[in-house]
């Protein structure tokens, strides 16, 4: 089956341009689009549910361009946005929580998040690669910490487009 955006069908995918994807243990598929928000797809029903930024709702997703997705062990959806930072959809409440990438002036000008990486062996820690560098997030406190990984001024303050962690806990 092929799924395409259909402006006459509110249950269709919100965009044909997908930038990121993640599948949960419950069989749902999450898709991040380039400008049209986050989509949840239920294969059993064939229905898409779209989550888009609503300026009047601080519990909505912060941006519609989703660069990266991660589903944690509680089933919460983590979305890395373009120029809006990091969001977490609490699946128990249906509300988004926003995390501003440090070093930026406001939530309206937060950094772009490229990768969301679970810390091997530590379920409460995530690594975030962004245009503002590398950060760790303590999920239990919501604290973001910047990590200076560069050795000289020429490379300092450069973004990290991709990262991963191996089974030994080494971040690449």
């Amino acid at each position: 089956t092929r799924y395409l955006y259909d402006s006459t069908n509110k249950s269709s995918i919100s965009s044909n341009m997908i930038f990121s994807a993640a599948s949960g243990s419950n069989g749902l598929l999450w898709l991040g689009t380039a400008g049209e928000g986050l989509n949840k797809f239920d294969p059993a029903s064939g229905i898409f549910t779209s989550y888009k930024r609503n300026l009047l709702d601080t519990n909505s997703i912060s941006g519609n361009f989703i660069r990266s997705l991660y589903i944690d062990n509680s089933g919460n959806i983590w979305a890395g946005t373009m120029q809006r930072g990091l969001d977490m959809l609490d699946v128990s409440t249906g509300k988004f929580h926003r995390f501003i990438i440090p070093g930026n002036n406001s939530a309206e000008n937060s950094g772009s998040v490229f990768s969301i990486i679970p810390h091997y062996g530590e379920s409460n820690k995530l690594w975030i690669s962004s245009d503002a560098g590398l950060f760790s997030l303590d999920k239990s406190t919501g604290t973001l910490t910047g990590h200076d990984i560069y050795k000289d001024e020429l490379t300092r303050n450069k973004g990290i487009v991709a990262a991963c962690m191996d089974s030994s806990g080494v971040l690449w």
Side-chain angles (χ1 to χ4, degrees):
T1 304
R2 188 173 178 189
Y3 298 97
L4 296 172
Y5 169 67
D6 179 352
S7 63
T8 65
N9 180 358
K10 289 185 179 182
S11 296
S12 77
I13 192 166
S14 65
S15 172
N16 294 330
M17 190 177 287
I18 306 301
F19 248 71
S20 53
S23 59
S25 60
N26 57 4
L28 298 176
L29 181 63
W30 294 86
L31 303 166
T33 69
E36 292 298 326
L38 177 65
N39 286 259
K40 174 178 70 174
F41 177 62
D42 182 349
S45 66
I47 293 176
F48 288 87
T49 303
S50 179
Y51 299 86
K52 292 186 181 182
R53 183 176 189 208
N54 179 345
L55 294 173
L56 302 176
D57 182 1
T58 58
N59 293 313
S60 71
I61 196 163
S62 65
N64 289 328
F65 196 122
I66 313 301
R67 293 287 316 234
S68 54
L69 288 171
Y70 170 69
I71 302 173
D72 68 19
N73 54 3
S74 297
N76 295 317
I77 313 304
W78 294 83
T81 68
M82 184 68 127
Q83 299 178 334
R84 300 279 183 218
L86 178 68
D87 290 340
M88 188 267 296
L89 173 60
D90 184 330
V91 293
S92 65
T93 65
K95 295 180 179 180
F96 284 89
H97 301 276
R98 299 175 181 180
F99 298 87
I100 298 170
I101 300 300
N104 293 287
N105 296 330
S106 72
E108 293 304 311
N109 188 26
S110 191
S112 296
V113 173
F114 301 120
S115 300
I116 307 163
I117 305 114
H119 191 292
Y120 186 76
E122 288 186 45
S123 63
N124 275 330
K125 188 173 188 178
L126 295 176
W127 289 96
I128 313 299
S129 72
S130 76
D131 61 352
L134 182 68
F135 296 88
S136 60
L137 172 69
D138 183 329
K139 295 187 325 182
S140 61
T141 64
T143 303
L144 269 170
T145 304
H147 298 274
D148 187 0
I149 61 170
Y150 300 107
K151 296 182 185 210
D152 60 55
E153 288 299 318
L154 290 175
T155 56
R156 190 172 313 282
N157 299 321
K158 299 293 183 188
I160 298 175
V161 177
C164 67
M165 182 169 283
D166 65 24
S167 60
S168 300
V170 175
L171 192 63
W172 295 87

